[in-house]
Amino acid sequence: EAGVTQFPSHSVIEKGQTVTLRCDPISGHDNLYWYRRVMGKEIKFLLHFVKESKQDESGMPNNRFLAERTGGTYSTLKVQPAELEDSGVYFCASSQNLGTAYEQYFGPGTRLTVT
Amino acid sequence: GNSVTQMEGPVTLSEEAFLTINCTYTATGYPSLFWYVQYPGEGLQLLLKATKADDKGSNKGFEATYRKETTSFHLEKGSVQVSDSAVYFCALGGSGGSNYKLTFGKGTLLTVNP
């Protein structure tokens, strides 16, 4: 079974540019999550999808961030325009169902550097 | 709100040494507690978990006990190996309808030398 994959693994962009991160969850996992780790800080929850619906986007930092999951399969996270403080590692995770009985499987992350 | 405080690293040990990584939490309700591990170049993997007070999670020789009275979930291993070198994250699950929302500590980098 393939794990959660993320693309790209690393992205370097200039302030003001746009970047789109992609996440492919484990096949059959309806729940998809985005998290972010800013340098030296905790990994923080950004949002949660159930299939194609956003269930909880309480962790999204501001309206420069837009997440989509068209068709309920892969998800994209767009940052437009990027700012220096957006630098960090963006993790995607998926789970078969909700609740702590169901493990969230994480991808390797996308390291975003905004210069 | 929920928060997790874990021992700042980095931690460097010799092979076969005893490992403890401290983790304390603040939360409402009765959250589940987790330890995740991230090996170089890989995603976070669930190492172990405990869902209620006094539960002990264990896996690959690692153990952690959910201590409600001290709000702690310290990670221990009796004899570390070079292959245990990784970043370790303590985390807690949200309460009630937000139990999917994980709150993480800052992570502790462990390096084990041969």
Side-chain angles (χ1 to χ4, degrees):
Chain A
E1 175 183 88
V4 176
T5 57
Q6 293 187 245
F7 182 84
S9 57
H10 192 184
S11 178
V12 181
I13 61 171
E14 293 184 353
K15 177 182 170 182
Q17 290 186 321
T18 297
V19 64
T20 300
L21 314 181
R22 172 170 171 145
C23 167
D24 286 79
I26 292 172
S27 178
H29 281 193
D30 287 341
N31 295 276
L32 187 148
Y33 316 83
W34 284 97
Y35 292 84
R36 175 175 76 167
R37 186 186 189 198
V38 171
M39 182 68 71
K41 304 249 183 194
E42 301 86 350
I43 299 172
K44 286 196 180 292
F45 169 86
L46 295 180
L47 86 158
H48 166 226
F49 283 97
V50 176
K51 297 185 180 179
E52 68 276 6
S53 299
K54 289 178 196 171
Q55 294 296 299
D56 181 351
E57 47 185 336
S58 60
M60 294 287 263
N62 52 61
N63 59 11
R64 295 186 293 103
F65 289 76
L66 175 64
E68 295 180 321
R69 193 182 181 196
T70 307
T73 54
Y74 70 91
S75 175
T76 57
L77 180 64
K78 181 191 287 188
V79 185
Q80 179 182 28
E83 298 289 344
L84 297 178
E85 64 264 25
D86 300 332
S87 296
V89 180
Y90 290 77
F91 292 101
C92 175
S94 70
S95 68
Q96 189 172 21
N97 275 305
L98 279 184
T100 53
Y102 298 95
E103 179 179 347
Q104 293 186 25
Y105 295 85
F106 282 76
T110 292
R111 181 174 295 278
L112 174 65
T113 302
V114 182
T115 62
Chain B
N2 293 347
S3 67
V4 173
T5 302
Q6 70 178 95
M7 189 170 126
E8 297 272 342
V11 174
T12 302
L13 296 173
S14 297
E15 207 164 23
E16 299 183 3
F18 184 85
L19 168 72
T20 299
I21 301 178
N22 290 337
C23 171
T24 57
Y25 67 90
T26 302
T28 55
Y30 303 96
S32 293
L33 300 173
F34 307 86
W35 276 99
Y36 278 83
V37 58
Q38 185 180 23
Y39 298 104
E42 299 183 14
L44 280 76
Q45 301 173 23
L46 180 63
L47 180 60
L48 54 84
K49 71 178 185 182
T51 57
K52 61 184 187 295
D54 300 325
D55 265 4
K56 177 186 282 188
S58 60
N59 186 25
K60 299 182 181 180
F62 291 89
E63 292 183 340
T65 301
Y66 189 159
R67 300 285 188 202
K68 186 168 178 291
E69 63 277 11
T70 55
T71 61
S72 65
F73 193 54
H74 305 321
L75 182 69
E76 295 183 335
K77 186 174 185 181
S79 175
V80 294
Q81 305 300 312
V82 172
S83 56
D84 293 327
S85 298
V87 182
Y88 292 81
F89 294 91
C90 185
L92 64 86
S95 299
S98 297
N99 59 5
Y100 56 84
K101 192 182 297 186
L102 298 175
T103 298
F104 288 88
K106 291 185 178 181
T108 302
L109 174 62
L110 170 66
T111 301
V112 180
N113 295 318

